[in-house]
Amino acid sequence: ETGVTQSPTHLIKTRGQQVTLRCSSQSGHNTVSWYQQALGQGPQFIFQYYREEENGRGNFPPRFSGLQFPNYSSELNVNALELDDSALYLCASSRSGGFQETQYFGPGTRLLVL
Amino acid sequence: LAKTTQPISMDSYEGQEVNITCSHNNIATNDYITWYQQFPSQGPRFIIQGYKTKVTNEVASLFIPADRKSSTLSLPRVSLSDTAVYYCLVGDNNNNDMRFGAGTRLTVKP
């Protein structure tokens, strides 16, 4: 167990809807990163938040947005859902940003868009 | 960010040593090499990280040759529970973009 929790575990939405996924980071960690993992592929970096500020973003459109709260928990919001957004969404917390810091992943939220 | 290349899959048997090699020809001077393990329906889990030569921890060893253009993750005496996908990543602390490739799917057979 990493101490990183995500909710909900599973979610079904329809195309065009909006979704909010939540992540609670490990105690003492101030950085949260979000990833999208399609079936059979490796995780793809969406963005990272460090001390409530966005600290890097991958190749995802603006309809993917996020927040980090003062307690360092985080939300991922996806607007105007598309079928291709169906995936496992992972969050990972770390002591700080940067490649050398070990990232501790949560179990993920599996999103299905119909 | 340096691109990494790994075998798509590998098979092994219980009790054997498994070596998974990752190529990263364009690795930069400040880059580190990190390996993660992922079981189905779980998030990746950190295994080991290194910069050069050899690093060993309680679960694996990481061998990095002098030119650092490749690295080898060594898992001693694998068991069925080591069946997972293994990812090799390369980057430096200016990168917060963890680039996971497709990984290597290791299947351990009885």
Side-chain angles (χ1 to χ4, degrees):
Chain A
E1 295 297 324
T2 63
V4 178
T5 60
Q6 292 186 242
S7 63
T9 55
H10 295 83
L11 202 52
I12 300 175
K13 291 285 189 179
T14 56
R15 208 168 36 174
Q17 285 189 313
Q18 178 265 344
V19 69
T20 297
L21 310 181
R22 295 179 174 83
C23 173
S24 177
S25 57
Q26 188 174 103
S27 177
H29 289 184
N30 57 26
T31 302
V32 173
S33 303
W34 284 92
Y35 296 84
Q36 179 195 67
Q37 186 171 24
L39 209 57
Q41 298 182 22
Q44 300 297 306
F45 176 73
I46 302 175
F47 43 58
Q48 182 182 86
Y49 278 82
Y50 171 67
R51 295 187 173 182
E52 303 179 60
E53 298 286 331
E54 188 177 289
N55 188 41
R57 188 179 182 91
N59 190 26
F60 280 81
R63 60 189 185 84
F64 286 78
S65 63
L67 279 174
Q68 187 179 31
F69 301 100
N71 66 355
Y72 302 131
S73 66
S74 178
E75 285 183 356
L76 165 66
N77 299 290
V78 187
N79 294 321
L81 283 167
E82 301 177 359
L83 298 180
D84 284 349
D85 295 332
S86 295
L88 180 69
Y89 288 85
L90 296 159
C91 81
S93 75
S94 54
R95 290 182 306 175
S96 66
F99 180 83
Q100 283 175 249
E101 285 293 333
T102 298
Q103 298 207 356
Y104 296 85
F105 284 81
T109 293
R110 189 163 295 281
L111 172 65
L112 177 62
V113 182
L114 301 176
Chain B
L1 288 172
K3 179 178 165 56
T4 60
T5 303
Q6 306 173 231
I8 293 174
S9 64
M10 293 181 69
D11 289 344
S12 183
Y13 291 92
E14 281 190 293
Q16 289 189 331
E17 177 184 77
V18 170
N19 296 309
I20 306 174
T21 297
C22 177
S23 297
H24 27 80
N25 290 319
N26 297 322
I27 191 167
T29 303
N30 295 328
D31 283 345
Y32 277 71
I33 301 153
T34 305
W35 286 79
Y36 280 79
Q37 173 194 55
Q38 186 176 24
F39 299 112
S41 298
Q42 293 186 26
R45 183 180 73 163
F46 172 86
I47 301 175
I48 198 165
Q49 184 180 84
Y51 182 79
K52 63 179 179 181
T53 63
K54 177 183 174 182
V55 180
T56 297
N57 62 22
E58 62 276 9
V59 298
S61 294
L62 179 59
F63 297 92
I64 305 168
D67 66 6
R68 305 202 322 123
K69 293 183 183 298
S70 66
S71 58
T72 298
L73 174 72
S74 181
L75 305 172
R77 297 179 300 282
V78 294
S79 64
L80 297 177
S81 63
D82 292 315
T83 293
V85 179
Y86 293 82
Y87 297 98
C88 162
L89 293 86
V90 172
D92 69 29
N93 253 5
N94 291 321
N95 307 132
N96 44 34
D97 176 354
M98 300 278 280
R99 299 262 180 108
F100 289 82
T104 297
R105 184 173 300 277
L106 172 66
T107 302
V108 180
K109 302 175 182 178

